[in-house]
Amino acid sequence: MQKFTSEDIKINRIWAAISYVWIISLVVLLAKKDSAFAQAHARQGFVLFVVSLIASFLPVLGWLLNIVVWGVAIVALIRAARGEFWKIPGVATLAEKISF
């Protein structure tokens, strides 16, 4: 489990939360390199963004997958705004491999 300082969480929880708003995850990845908390959320947000993009090209299954992705993103956004880190199953594994 990742450890974040309380100061990092306090200062960057809003950045972490908005990183779940699709393309904004890239902005957070590039702008908040000094925050482990924001980076962890932005990586997960980026993975969700990519999954959503891919799902957009699939007919019915893609539509359903996008609904799930949006639901997960909303829950993650709320948790990040509260200063929590939710290691999203499946997504977190991919997110940990991302480096900018």
Side-chain angles (χ1 to χ4, degrees):
M1 181 168 183
Q2 290 183 309
K3 299 283 183 180
F4 308 109
T5 65
S6 57
E7 187 69 17
D8 183 15
I9 294 169
K10 182 180 175 184
I11 293 170
N12 294 296
R13 65 187 177 92
I14 300 304
W15 281 100
I18 65 170
S19 69
Y20 289 101
V21 182
W22 305 151
I23 197 74
I24 295 175
S25 62
L26 283 174
V27 173
V28 176
L29 278 170
L30 297 172
K32 298 304 289 180
K33 289 187 182 229
D34 60 331
S35 169
F37 187 67
Q39 286 287 304
H41 284 285
R43 285 185 178 98
Q44 289 192 145
F46 182 72
V47 170
L48 290 174
F49 169 62
V50 170
V51 169
S52 179
L53 277 178
I54 293 169
S56 297
F57 293 102
L58 305 172
V60 176
L61 180 62
W63 216 85
L64 295 172
L65 183 57
N66 260 324
I67 290 172
V68 171
V69 168
W70 294 338
V72 168
I74 290 169
V75 171
L77 184 149
I78 292 168
R79 286 181 141 192
R82 290 181 181 166
E84 302 170 10
F85 180 71
W86 174 34
K87 195 170 183 177
I88 304 169
V91 172
T93 306
L94 292 171
E96 290 168 356
K97 296 177 182 177
I98 298 172
S99 63
F100 275 84

